[in-house]
Amino acid sequence: MSISTQEELLGMQKISDAVGKTLSQMRAYARPGMTTKELDEYGGTLLQQYGARSAPRLTYGFPGWTCISVNNEIAHGMPSDKTILQEGDLINVDVSAELGGFWADNGGSFILGEDIHQHSKLVDTSKLILHKAIHHIRGGVRIAEIGRLIENEARKAGYRVIKNLTGHGVGRALHEEPHEIACFYDRFNRERFKKNSVVAIETFISTNASYAYTQSDGWTLKARDNSFVAQHEHTIVVTDGRPIILTESNGIWN
């Protein structure tokens, strides 16, 4: 999507604020002893209060309002009444939704309660890399160069990136062009960011693995070596200078 009118910008701001606040509120609501289904139902209630509709449900028939991935699950975790959250869990919540014909996407990994498993460095690294990557994006910058930045920063911190999960365009649908904003340098990708375009930028920072694989449930993604992965994501508008961070209300950098 390319923002060409004030109405379009306002529409994107409204849905982005809804998914951002839902993510923030779900993070604050999570407690040890709660199931991921309980957390997801809370997220679904919030989206309804904002007048928004769950994007993964609408687009893919996903069995949940949001994606909730725990510990070694990388992405697309299915909410379940059998998965009980524990102190120190590494949790990722991804919230995307539609409102008034506009779509926005955001996500974030966090540690539940005390960091008894020492995941804080991984989470903090993912946040910092996303911040650095987003603030290097402007019209005309090669998408591959942002991938190079993410991969290099991850390597400097002692981590790798997941190569088969990427950011993407968003706005009038959940996934639009550009379809792959990778976390590594893809020399074959000659595309550049376009001014006024709307994109979802994501980091997938891994303790060791470079690829995620779909599990037997048909949704959940994990690494074959059970690596831990932290993901953070914002929907932004590309400009000639500092991008407009539409999902800033999620507070992942706070």
Side-chain angles (χ1 to χ4, degrees), residues 158-170:
Y159 298 117
R160 294 181 179 178
V161 297
I162 298 297
K163 294 187 174 183
N164 61 331
L165 294 173
T166 69
H168 51 89
V170 67

Side-chain angles (χ1 to χ4, degrees), residues 83-143:
T83 303
I84 300 172
L85 300 178
Q86 307 287 339
E87 186 85 11
D89 277 349
L90 175 64
I91 302 171
N92 179 269
V93 177
D94 193 296
V95 183
S96 54
E98 178 273 343
L99 177 60
F102 298 97
W103 303 63
D105 194 357
N106 73 161
S109 296
F110 63 96
I111 299 155
L112 186 63
E114 187 180 349
D115 182 26
I116 57 179
H117 304 300
Q118 287 76 55
H119 293 309
S120 60
K121 183 191 171 190
L122 177 65
V123 171
D124 291 344
T125 298
S126 176
K127 291 180 183 180
L128 289 169
I129 292 175
L130 181 66
H131 188 277
K132 189 166 187 176
I134 282 177
H135 288 87
H136 275 76
I137 293 172
R138 53 184 47 82
V141 170
R142 275 190 65 192
I143 290 174

Side-chain angles (χ1 to χ4, degrees), residues 36 40 62-70 73-80 83 92-94 217 219-222:
T36 54
D40 180 63
F62 182 75
W65 303 104
T66 67
C67 299
I68 303 175
S69 308
V70 182
E73 297 173 349
I74 297 173
H76 304 166
M78 282 196 324
S80 168
T83 303
N92 179 269
V93 177
D94 193 296
D217 63 15
W219 295 103
T220 307
L221 292 161
K222 289 184 178 181

Side-chain angles (χ1 to χ4, degrees), residues 224-242:
R224 286 182 175 154
D225 66 356
N226 284 323
S227 288
F228 290 95
V229 174
Q231 178 261 14
H232 291 88
E233 174 184 20
H234 269 304
T235 292
I236 69 170
V237 179
V238 179
T239 73
D240 281 334
R242 185 185 180 93

